[in-house]
Amino acid sequence: MSGNRRKAFLVSASLVGGAMLMTACQDTAKATDNGAAKGSSSATPAGDAATPSGSSTTGSSQGTDKGSDATGNGTEDGAGSGVDTGNGERKPVEQGCGANDISWSTKSQSQAGGYVLITAKAKSGITCYLPAALPTVAFGSDGTEAGPAEQAVGEQIKLSGNTTAYAGVNPKTTNADGGKELDFIIVAVGNDDPNPVSLPVDTITVDKPVVTNWHTAPADAVPFS
């Protein structure tokens, strides 16, 4: 092969090789672009799928919140009035009795040297609690109060319906003559009761009186000295 023909062949081979290389690079770029496009194309549905999934999560959160609200409303409605304990529950308020919440009666008894039995029942439709403390019993215009006939206080008593509470008053604990002659007593549920009541009794002589705690059995309300 002559020198000129050989040079022409090398040049031609070089041109063909360059063209093939360019074609290969273009094919590679196309493949890369197509792959990226396909990857981007496939990523988009994934993003779309993620979006509904996010919506579903939001819906679930809303559903939980609504459910919680409904539960709270149910608890509050079911409990009615009361004190919020801070954990979604309500504790019923225990209403203390006032003298005007009670139907009163008195009866003179001969046991233990003679005493007055006080009977207390809640008025119709009322539920209230007598405290674990002495009833306040006073006598006369000077307001002489009865002291305790028992060493320890009793228990709180719930008055409702036919439940009855009893307290016994010994108007005279001294052996000396004298004292105030009265035919009524003043009764209240504690010293802060704004509505004390006046209850009629047989004529009694009052001198250092005492009163028992509230009891649910009349036999327990006898003021033994």
Side-chain angles (χ1 to χ4, degrees):
M1 180 179 294
S2 66
N4 292 333
R5 293 184 63 187
R6 185 175 181 180
K7 287 181 180 180
F9 177 79
L10 291 175
V11 170
S12 176
S14 177
L15 291 175
V16 171
M20 290 179 66
L21 180 61
M22 290 180 63
T23 302
C25 289
Q26 290 176 354
D27 290 342
T28 301
K30 287 181 180 180
T32 302
D33 291 342
N34 289 340
K38 288 182 180 179
S40 174
S41 174
S42 62
T44 301
D48 292 342
T51 301
S53 175
S55 300
S56 176
T57 302
T58 302
S60 175
S61 175
Q62 291 175 348
T64 302
D65 291 341
K66 290 180 180 179
S68 299
D69 290 342
T71 302
N73 291 338
T75 301
E76 183 175 353
D77 294 343
S81 63
V83 175
D84 189 348
T85 61
N87 59 357
E89 298 179 356
R90 299 182 73 84
K91 182 179 179 180
V93 175
E94 296 184 352
Q95 175 186 336
C97 295
N100 59 345
D101 296 319
I102 295 172
S103 294
W104 301 93
S105 64
T106 61
K107 185 176 181 180
S108 295
Q109 304 282 41
S110 60
Q111 191 177 0
Y115 72 99
V116 177
L117 180 66
I118 302 173
T119 301
K121 294 181 65 173
K123 291 180 179 178
S124 178
I126 291 178
T127 296
C128 63
Y129 292 80
L130 288 172
L134 293 174
T136 299
V137 180
F139 305 83
S141 58
D142 62 354
T144 300
E145 287 192 20
E150 298 174 88
Q151 294 182 351
V153 297
E155 297 181 357
Q156 177 178 266
I157 297 176
K158 179 180 178 180
L159 290 186
S160 181
N162 293 324
T163 302
T164 304
Y166 304 91
V169 179
N170 183 346
K172 188 175 186 297
T173 60
T174 63
N175 294 322
D177 294 336
K180 293 182 292 186
E181 297 288 329
L182 299 172
D183 57 5
F184 68 93
I185 59 176
I186 306 298
V187 180
V189 182
N191 291 324
D192 296 329
D193 192 335
N195 300 295
V197 295
S198 176
L199 303 178
V201 295
D202 293 339
T203 301
I204 55 176
T205 301
V206 179
D207 189 16
K208 295 186 178 179
V210 294
V211 62
T212 68
N213 300 311
W214 292 110
H215 296 276
T216 54
D220 294 332
V222 179
F224 292 104
S225 56

